[in-house]
């Protein structure tokens, strides 16, 4: 308080009113005309000529004085002039000036001299925002104090000079920050905290500058910790903070433990202060030249051995297994709890001995330890027998017969039976690589398979099969005529390696190869190996050359047979023996983790793997690698023998006529996850795989190819076409102008779509030429790899300058619009149009001043002025015409200069041209109905795989048609009279002829264009009679004025009806115009029913292209979550293409539907359509063949799905093709997973009841119940089918035999719940089909069961 009052007194004396003072401006606010000044002497005298006033001019190294504006635990903020401020972190304060807590040493307002460390600009988040800066400051002003800016490159260089095992000198590590320990959520325990320490570069390298940051975990401070210290993170942090102080230097040496994570990624170097570990490293260096075995602190690359002593620390304790001991560079071993692992304290430094080691798997060896107190603890005191045995036995000596003690996949532990070995302390074993098979019939590798249908199923690892050398051996058996191949003494125990692959009396040269170190294997030497595993995706096979030596044979070095390579599990059996040649061996002495590269092909042909680089014209085998980045995508990347890479352009995958859409799959393209809302539950997982398929070229597939060129870019150009394998290698012929060609999409962006027609010919399509309709998202509609067809507009050959650095020789401009592709040679051009010509056209746009009409079979459009739309005045054109209406037009004016035509639609121009309207409309309507007959809807709550779905829907629609026909008989006759009486105005009323609709299904599929009377319309009968009488009067009088008056009266009534329908909401129930449909769709765009109604309306107008356009609009408008609704529209489009399209368009539509829906559901719908065609064709062989091919393709494509097989069964049996159905059934059992066999056989038996032989069905059900006797669901289905076919006595017998099986058969024991359901089912059957006696028999049987159960 006294200090503050003194300060106030000084300030009052110093800053009296009217007294002059020197100040310096800090900030200026021009708007408020205010400024902030300072009178601090330090700020007045420093940086007078070069103050810091903006961020942009700052450069690292500038020294300036500012004042502290903020102080926190994390650091301080220093402000200069014009609100320019920077930051000094607490970590930098501790490193540079030893400040432990900034809030204690600094106060707001203090002046401080700083140095600019860095100034980084940050971009604004939006266009209107200003850029910001981050200014980092330092207090290291003098050159001796200067802290260099540690870039990542400098940090990496310094870390590389700190390998694990490096000792850090005393007082070179400065503590800059302490990070507290963290609790593990949901579990007991915690993650130890750590200290961040800074080591100056001069302590690491004399020439380096800067510093490196390292981590000192709290568990690396002491050799051992008290139990109280490690009980909680708070206690652990408190102990560490007593020892470590921020800003202080560590007065003892440190040891670098690790610089990379367990996965090999670079991390901040980890430091340890444990004295025992540091002394162990120092002792290793001091005893480096001595031959005595020393205590090791190993790394993963250390050559470890059995009996070695290692020093480490306990990093984790698991009560299930034991203690995990960590060494340098994250090498970890385990002390099992049986060896005292649970007696070790957490974070304690321990001395252990290696009792087991496995160097054959992974980069780091697997080590088993035993804790010891000193190095001499476990040495044996008696090893006389060992010494005498070593003197007696040498490699190559006969060891006689041996007895098998233990046996596993890798080795057989045996005991020596010779008298000279009695009393000797020795362990003998016969390794699998040293063993000879006792089975003379054992097949050699690769195994020859008679049938190509054998499934390439994965094999069980470490299982002794008939191909294994140990096949036929068992514990206690005798192995004869063994020889010693190696002998070693470890920890006083003699280990002898044996072999029985040598004949008695053979010389030492005949011994199988046994190497104690993989580095002794020379390149080119022949070795005999045992197959231990077959790599996934047919990458190759793993083999064991000899104990401790592992080899790998890549697939391209295995065989020259594609069938063998693509079915390795079938042809290479685990445990089989193969002869190989060493191709590559990078192992150094003592390194057992290196894998030796081998080749089987090189054994038979020394030049098989000698190709340095594939050359033009070579025919080679390659392996598909979908993980390699594509060069000039889309392309298929492959691997050759020797590590060479090949590229197959997407245009070279297949012959030109065999190109398929998305041959490389849809990886990376957004697709619907699933459309299997009602499908099989057990197929859901497989459906997800279907949605992410890689096409026909899966990763790991082996194919035969022809090298087209060998470029210097690191890869070779190849082709998979069959014509290339033995034919020419020339490029494809260029396309012709105006010709129709196929191409693959390369890329799509905002400018257009880029295509590729061959390796050297590319094309482009501007956005407006992609489609006739609007594309909201061209990128997703035209993904890379999509196959498109278009018409060539222009061809441009590239000159030398344009081809520089490119492989493209010409570019092609194309047009993909359907209207351009379907245009014929007789298309009406502008020059063909003459005044007075009459045409048909389609309304494209309606304006207040007239209607725009496009001529049929032409791209020419013209304007029908308001005055030319009708003989009478029309107030509102939109009430009479809609886009898409078909109209007749007369050319009345042609403007040659501006290429415009004037048209007229007055009915008076076409009085003599109305004779063909009715027949045309009727034929169109019938075609439309036939085309849309196969459409069905998917209810999201129903099962879309219901086998009776289509038949139920057909019966439902038929009943609706009958009701519609009977209810509309009167109105139909009236409307026909109206049509005959209004010939002159038929073109004006053409848009009002609509199909009768039904809201339950979508529309009436079987009627024509008759007018449907609206229920509840009171004026319908009177209007019909009035119209009929007026028509009769018109026919009698024959006056045009009377006809026009009648037509006008009808039109007014129709308008009144429409207004009434719009008012009461019934217009949406029965839409009759395009506007009605547009309004209906706008109200519910996700309703497939509305879209399909609209398609049927377009077809009724003979506008097939318009119907296709409606479907495309539906795909874009319906939300992606509504998979069932989209599938309905796709089904409608498939039905349309099946009726009106070509086989090519139908196939393309199937491919597109499969890309956007569940492919299985699409193929099921298509097969159901074709099945209906077979029924209606009355034996047409072409239609039957087409359906058969589609069913076969579906079963081949979805061979693991039971629903497709069941659909095929039903199709064959319904058409009385029983033998083919039985053959197909046997194929399905081979293809389907085993857990689907029961349900599939049950379905097949049910179909046999319906369409085949009941006797065969009974045979199948009997076999199912024999193997699955407790499956009551199968029994109940069996019973239901018998009852349905009138065989009640057979069904009754099934219940009786189930409860009381005949003699010789075991009685089935059911649970009480099962018995209850069985009796209920039996009683229900008797209640519906039996008599009183049969029902009483069920009750008696049930009572007897209850009584017998209660006694037990």
């Amino acid at each position: 308080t006294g200090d503050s009052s003194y300060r106030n007194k000084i300030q009052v004396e110093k800053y009296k009113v009217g007294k002059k003072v020197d100040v310096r401006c800090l900030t200026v606010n021009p708007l408020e005309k205010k400024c902030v000044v300072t009178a601090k002497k330090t700020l007045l005298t420093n940086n007078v000529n070069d103050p810091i006033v903006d961020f942009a001019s700052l450069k690292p190294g500038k020294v300036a004085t500012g004042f502290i504006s903020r102080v926190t635990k994390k650091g301080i903020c220093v402000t200069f002039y014009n609100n320019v401020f920077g930051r000094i972190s607490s970590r930098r304060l501790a490193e540079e000036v030893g400040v432990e807590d900034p809030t204690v040493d600094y106060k707001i307002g203090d002046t401080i001299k700083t140095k600019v460390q860095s100034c980084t600009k940050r971009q604004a988040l939006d266009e209107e925002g200003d850029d910001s800066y981050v200014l980092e400051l330092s207090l290291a002003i003098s050159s001796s104090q200067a802290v260099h800016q540690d870039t990542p490159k400098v940090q990496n260089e310094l870390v590389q000079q700190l390998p694990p095992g490096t000792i850090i000198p005393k007082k070179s590590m400065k503590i800059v920050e302490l990070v507290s320990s963290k609790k593990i959520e949901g579990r007991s325990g915690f993650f130890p905290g750590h200290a961040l320490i800074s080591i100056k570069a001069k302590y690491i390298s004399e020439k380096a500058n800067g510093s490196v940051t390292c981590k000192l975990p709290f568990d690396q401070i002491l050799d051992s910790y008290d139990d109280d210290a490690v009980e909680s993170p708070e206690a652990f942090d408190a102990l560490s903070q007593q020892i470590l102080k921020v800003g202080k230097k560590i007065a003892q040496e440190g040891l670098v433990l690790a610089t990379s994570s367990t996965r090999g990624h670079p991390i901040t170097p980890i430091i340890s202060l444990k004295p025992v570990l540091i002394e162990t490293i120092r002792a290793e260096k001091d005893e480096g030249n001595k031959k005595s075995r020393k205590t090791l602190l190993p790394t993963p690359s250390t050559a470890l051995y059995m009996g070695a002593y290692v020093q480490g620390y306990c990093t984790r304790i698991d009560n299930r297994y034991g203690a995990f001991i960590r060494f340098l560079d994250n090498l970890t071993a385990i002390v099992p709890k049986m060896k005292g692992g649970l007696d070790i304290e957490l974070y304690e430094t321990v001395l252990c001995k290696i009792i087991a080691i496995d160097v054959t798997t992974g980069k780091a060896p697997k080590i088993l330890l035993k804790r010891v107190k000193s190095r001499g603890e476990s040495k044996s005191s008696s090893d006389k027998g060992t010494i005498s045995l070593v003197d007696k036995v040498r490699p190559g000596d006969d060891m006689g017969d041996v007895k098998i003690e233990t046996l596993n996949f890798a080795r057989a532990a045996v005991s020596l039976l010779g008298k000279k070995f009695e009393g000797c302390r020795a362990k003998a074993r016969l390794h699998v690589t040293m063993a000879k098979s006792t089975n003379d019939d054992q097949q050699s590798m690769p195994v020859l398979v008679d049938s190509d249908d054998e499934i390439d199923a994965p094999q069980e690892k470490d299982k002794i099969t008939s191909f294994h050398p140990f096949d036929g051996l068992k514990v206690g058996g005798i192995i004869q005529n063994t020889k010693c191949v190696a002998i070693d003494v470890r920890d006083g125990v003699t280990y002898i390696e044996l072999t029985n692959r040598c004949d008695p009396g053979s010389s030492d040269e005949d011994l199988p190869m046994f190497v104690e170190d993989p580095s002794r294997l020379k390149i080119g030497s022949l070795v005999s190996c045992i197959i231990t595993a077959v790599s996934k995706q047919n990458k190759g096979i793993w083999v064991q050359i000899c104990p401790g030596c592992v080899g790998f044979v890549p697939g391209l070095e295995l065989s020259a047979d594609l069938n063998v390579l693509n079915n390795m599990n079938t042809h290479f059996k685990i445990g089989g023996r193969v002869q190989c040649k060493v191709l590559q061996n990078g192992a150094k002495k003592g390194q057992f983790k290196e894998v030796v590269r081998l080749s089987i092909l090189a054994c038979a042909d020394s030049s098989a793997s000698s190709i340095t680089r594939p050359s033009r014209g070579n025919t080679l085998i390659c392996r598909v690698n979908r993980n390699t980045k594509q060069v000039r995508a889309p392309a298929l990347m492959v691997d050759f023998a020797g590590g060479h890479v090949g590229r197959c352009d997407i245009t070279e995958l297949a012959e030109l006529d065999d190109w398929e859409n998305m041959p490389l799959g849809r990886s990376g393209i957004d697709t619907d996850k699933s459309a299997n809302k009602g499908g099989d539950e057990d197929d859901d997982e497989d459906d997800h795989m279907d949605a992410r398929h890689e096409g026909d070229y899966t990763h790991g597939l082996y194919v035969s190819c022809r090298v087209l060129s060998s470029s210097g870019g690191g890869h070779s150009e190849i082709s998979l076409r069959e014509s290339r394998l033995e034919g020419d290698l020339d490029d494809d012929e260029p396309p012709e102008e105006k010709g129709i060609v196929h191409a693959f999409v390369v890329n799509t962006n905002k400018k257009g779509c880029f295509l590729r027609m061959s390796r050297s010919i590319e094309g482009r399509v501007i956005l407006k030429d992609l489609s006739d309709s609007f594309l909201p998202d061209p990128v997703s509609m035209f993904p890379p790899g999509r196959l498109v067809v278009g018409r060539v507009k222009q061809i441009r050959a590239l000159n030398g300058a344009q081809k520089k650095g490119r492989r493209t020789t010409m570019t092609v401009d194309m047009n993909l619009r359907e209207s351009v592709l379907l245009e014929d040679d007789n298309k009406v051009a502008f020059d063909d149009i003459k005044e007075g010509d009459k045409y048909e056209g389609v309304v494209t746009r309606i304006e207040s001043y007239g209607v725009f009409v496009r001529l049929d079979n032409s791209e020419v459009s013209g304007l029908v002025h308001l005055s030319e739309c009708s003989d009478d005045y029309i107030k509102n054109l939109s009430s009479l015409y809609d886009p898409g209406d078909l109209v007749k037009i007369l050319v009345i004016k042609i403007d040659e200069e501006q290429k415009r035509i004037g048209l007229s639609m007055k009915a008076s121009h076409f009085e003599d041209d109305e004779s063909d309207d009715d027949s045309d409309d009727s034929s169109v309507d019938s075609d439309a109905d036939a085309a849309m007959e196969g459409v069905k809807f998917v209810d999201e709550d129903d099962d879309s795989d219901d086998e009776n779905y289509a038949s139920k829907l057909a019966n439902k629609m038929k009943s609706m048609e009958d009701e519609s026909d009977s209810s509309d008989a009167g109105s139909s006759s009236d409307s026909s009279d109206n049509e005959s009486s209004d010939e002159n105005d038929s073109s004006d009323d053409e848009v009002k002829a609509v199909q009768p609709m039904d809201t339950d299904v979508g529309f009436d599929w079987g009627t024509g264009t008759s007018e449907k009377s609206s229920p509840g319309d009171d004026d319908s009968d009177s209007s019909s009679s009035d119209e009929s009488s007026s028509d009769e009067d018109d026919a009698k009088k024959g006056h045009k004025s009377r006809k026009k008056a009648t037509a006008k009266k009808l039109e007014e009534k129709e308008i009144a009806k429409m207004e009434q329908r719009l008012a009461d909401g019934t217009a949406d129930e029965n839409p009759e115009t395009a506007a009605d449909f547009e309004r209906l769709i706008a109200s519910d765009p996700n309703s497939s029913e509305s879209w399909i109604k609209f398609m049927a309306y377009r077809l009724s107008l003979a506008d097939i292209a318009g119907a296709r356009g409606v479907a495309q609009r539906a795909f874009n408008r319906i939300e992606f979550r509504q998979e069932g609704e989209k599938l309905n529209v796709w089904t409608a489009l498939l039905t349309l293409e099946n009726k009106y399209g070509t086989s090519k368009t139908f196939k393309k539509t199937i491919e597109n539907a499969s890309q956007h829906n569940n492919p299985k559901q699409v193929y099921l719908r298509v097969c159901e359509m074709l099945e209906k065609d077979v029924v209606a064709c009355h034996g047409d062989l072409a239609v039957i063949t087409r359906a058969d091919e589609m069913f076969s393709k579906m079963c081949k494509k979805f061979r693991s799905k039971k629903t497709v097989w069941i659909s095929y069964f039903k199709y064959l049996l319904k058409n009385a093709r029983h033998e083919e159905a039985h053959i197909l059934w046997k194929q399905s059992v081979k293809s389907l997973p085993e857990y689907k066999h029961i349900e599939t056989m049950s379905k097949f038996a049910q179909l046999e009841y319906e369409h085949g032989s009941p006797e065969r069905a009974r045979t199948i059900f009997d076999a199912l119940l024999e193997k699955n006797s407790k499956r009551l669901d199968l029994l109940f289905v069996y019973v239901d089918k018998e009852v349905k076919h009138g065989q009640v006595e057979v069904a009754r017998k099934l219940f009786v035999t189930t409860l009381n099986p005949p003699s010789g058969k075991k009685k089935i024991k059911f649970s009480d719940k099962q018995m209850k359901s069985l009796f209920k089912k039996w009683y229900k059957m008797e209640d519906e089909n039996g008599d009183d006696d049969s029902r009483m028999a069920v009750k008696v049987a049930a009572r007897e069961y209850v009584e017998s159960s209660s006694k037990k």
Side-chain angles (χ1 to χ4, degrees), residues 287 290-296 305-309 353 375 379 488-491:
E287 299 177 4
K290 296 181 180 180
K291 295 184 179 180
S292 61
R293 294 184 177 181
K294 54 185 176 294
T295 302
L296 302 175
Y305 51 89
M306 293 277 293
Y309 291 90
K353 181 182 178 181
R375 290 192 48 171
K379 286 187 178 180
D488 188 21
V489 179
R490 296 190 298 269
D491 299 332

Side-chain angles (χ1 to χ4, degrees), residues 493-524:
V493 180
T494 302
Y495 294 88
I496 302 174
E497 295 285 350
L498 304 177
T499 181
N500 66 337
R501 289 173 57 190
C502 297
D503 296 329
S506 58
S507 62
D508 294 349
E509 297 179 356
D510 298 329
L511 288 175
M513 179 178 292
F514 186 94
V515 291
E516 298 178 352
D517 197 317
S519 62
R520 297 182 181 180
L521 286 175
K522 304 300 181 182
I523 295 177

Side-chain angles (χ1 to χ4, degrees), residues 671-677 684 687-688 691 1123 1157-1158:
T671 57
D672 293 340
K673 291 183 179 179
S674 176
N676 191 22
K677 289 283 184 180
D684 288 346
D687 290 339
H688 287 292
E1123 295 121 349
N1157 302 276
N1158 184 350

Side-chain angles (χ1 to χ4, degrees), residues 626-812:
R626 301 303 294 270
N627 297 328
T628 302
K629 184 178 180 181
Q630 297 181 15
V631 179
R632 292 183 65 222
L636 183 70
M637 305 304 293
V638 300
D639 293 333
F640 291 106
H644 304 298
V645 179
R647 172 189 177 273
C648 182
D649 193 83
I650 190 171
T651 60
E652 294 291 336
L653 293 175
E655 304 294 341
L656 295 176
D657 296 335
D658 297 332
W659 280 1
E660 295 183 355
N661 187 40
M662 308 296 288
L664 297 179
R666 301 190 301 274
S667 55
I669 301 173
D670 292 334
T671 57
D672 293 340
K673 291 183 179 179
S674 176
N676 191 22
K677 289 283 184 180
D680 300 326
E681 293 181 1
D682 53 24
D683 289 344
D684 288 346
E685 183 177 352
D686 296 334
D687 290 339
H688 287 292
M689 294 298 295
D690 292 339
R692 294 181 278 111
H693 71 83
E694 297 178 339
D696 295 331
Y697 303 95
T698 56
H699 180 71
L701 178 71
Y702 290 87
V703 293
S704 182
C705 68
R706 186 87 180 273
V707 180
L708 301 178
S709 65
S710 181
S711 62
H715 67 273
S716 301
E717 293 288 333
I718 65 169
S719 175
L720 302 186
R721 296 184 188 176
E722 292 185 4
S723 60
R724 297 277 199 201
L725 295 180
E726 297 180 359
D728 62 80
L729 305 178
D730 298 334
D731 291 340
D732 296 332
E733 294 292 332
E736 298 179 356
E737 288 196 9
K738 297 186 178 179
I740 296 179
V741 296
H742 288 76
F744 287 102
V745 175
V746 174
N747 185 28
T748 307
N749 53 32
K750 295 181 179 180
K751 295 182 180 180
C753 182
F754 297 90
L755 311 174
R756 186 176 299 155
M757 280 150 276
S758 71
R759 291 191 306 133
S760 58
I761 303 176
E762 295 188 350
R764 65 177 182 178
V765 185
I766 58 177
L767 284 180
K768 70 176 184 178
D769 288 340
L770 285 176
S771 175
D772 289 314
S773 58
F774 172 70
L775 297 178
D777 188 7
V779 176
S780 62
M781 296 290 290
F782 291 87
R786 175 178 172 179
L787 180 63
V788 297
V789 59
R791 189 180 292 274
V792 177
K793 294 170 58 178
Q794 184 182 4
I795 299 176
R796 295 190 304 275
L798 303 182
N799 55 35
Q802 293 173 324
K803 290 193 292 185
K804 186 176 181 180
R806 300 174 60 184
R807 294 182 175 88
T808 306
T809 59
M810 65 175 60
T811 58
V812 179

